[in-house]
Amino acid sequence: MPTLTACPLLAGLPERAIESLASLARAQRYAAGEVIYLQGAQQSQLSIVAEGQVRICSSNAGGREAILAILGAGAWFGDTVFSPGLPRVFGATAHDACLIVDIPGDACRRVLADFPEAYPVALDLVSRRLWAAMSIIQDDALRGTEARIGRRLLFLAQMHGQPGDGKPVQFRLTRELLANMMGMTRQGVHRVLKNIEARGLVDIHYGSVTIADPERLRAYIEKLD
């Protein structure tokens, strides 16, 4: 129940609706490196990280893995919950030992249909994720390294919270993992991060990233050539 109550996607639902979903939810533990679901899987469920971390990733035929995001406690994944029948674009793997709470997709859709006042919250979060993903594509094609790294940090912030509400967003992430996501060396990422950190836009300390004001970071990125 606390895991569902803390999930931003379900924030628009009344308590009785959360209780209904909790009765259908299933909690499952995964060991580090264990596959939660494969890329291309036909699933329709909402997954919420209760403990540990999950990496959202893609791989090619040669087995090379590209990490899109690392999700910590409170983050949700499984956007196909709103589009049953579509295959998973990315896979999900336990980055370390974790506890995942799954809610069947049909139950989510049924509850949202019963409480349509919750749809604006859910649609806003899904739209923000789409906007962030499209911005990453644009930056990869047209902009420099600093904008790309800043945008990826904003994307991760969006995956963990609700940037734009004026509250800081914190999540676990090392420079090594960020370099993997960006297809860069750790040294290259470190050089760029030093400039962003010097401006007070982010704080990276002991494997944890804090973005005090996501909108301020966004404004800075938009000004970069």
Side-chain angles (χ1 to χ4, degrees):
M1 179 76 166
T3 299
L4 272 63
T5 302
C7 179
L9 189 71
L10 306 177
L13 291 171
E15 184 176 348
R16 64 183 185 279
I18 296 292
E19 291 174 350
S20 174
L21 291 178
S23 68
L24 300 172
R26 181 190 66 171
Q28 185 167 344
R29 292 193 176 275
Y30 295 87
E34 188 174 354
V35 173
I36 298 173
Y37 59 74
L38 293 170
Q39 178 181 345
Q42 293 279 351
Q43 292 180 331
S44 176
Q45 64 190 37
L46 175 66
S47 299
I48 307 169
V49 184
E51 299 173 9
Q53 288 184 297
V54 171
R55 64 178 182 265
I56 305 300
C57 48
S58 180
S59 59
N60 61 17
R64 181 181 177 184
E65 183 181 81
I67 300 175
L68 174 69
I70 300 288
L71 305 181
W76 59 276
F77 59 101
D79 299 38
T80 55
V81 65
F82 299 115
S83 304
L86 288 181
R88 301 281 195 183
V89 178
F90 298 98
T93 300
H95 187 65
D96 49 26
C98 62
L99 175 66
I100 306 299
V101 176
D102 293 320
I103 305 173
D106 57 350
C108 287
R109 294 188 293 275
R110 183 173 63 251
V111 166
L112 284 170
D114 291 341
F115 300 93
E117 65 272 19
Y119 257 112
V121 174
L123 287 176
D124 177 63
L125 287 174
V126 173
S127 295
R128 286 177 181 269
R129 286 196 175 184
L130 176 60
W131 183 90
M134 295 301 292
S135 296
I136 288 174
I137 294 172
Q138 172 184 280
D139 286 346
D140 284 349
L142 301 174
R143 308 186 79 176
T145 302
E146 190 171 0
R148 290 177 56 221
I149 290 177
R151 188 76 73 186
R152 184 59 63 99
L153 291 174
L154 275 178
F155 175 71
L156 292 171
Q158 202 286 322
M159 296 287 279
H160 285 87
Q162 300 183 55
D165 60 6
K167 297 178 181 178
V169 179
Q170 184 178 57
F171 50 91
R172 291 168 57 195
L173 182 70
T174 63
R175 286 176 169 83
E176 288 84 358
L177 279 173
L178 181 58
N180 177 285
M181 292 180 194
M182 304 303 301
M184 298 172 59
T185 65
R186 183 185 184 278
Q187 293 77 12
V189 166
H190 179 68
R191 283 194 298 271
V192 175
L193 285 176
K194 281 180 64 177
N195 183 53
I196 300 177
E197 287 183 280
R199 296 175 181 273
L201 297 169
V202 300
D203 180 34
I204 303 179
H205 198 59
Y206 294 117
S208 176
V209 176
T210 301
I211 302 177
D213 187 345
E215 288 303 320
R216 184 168 167 241
L217 176 58
R218 189 194 312 278
Y220 173 72
I221 293 170
E222 294 298 334
K223 294 179 181 177
L224 294 174
D225 293 330

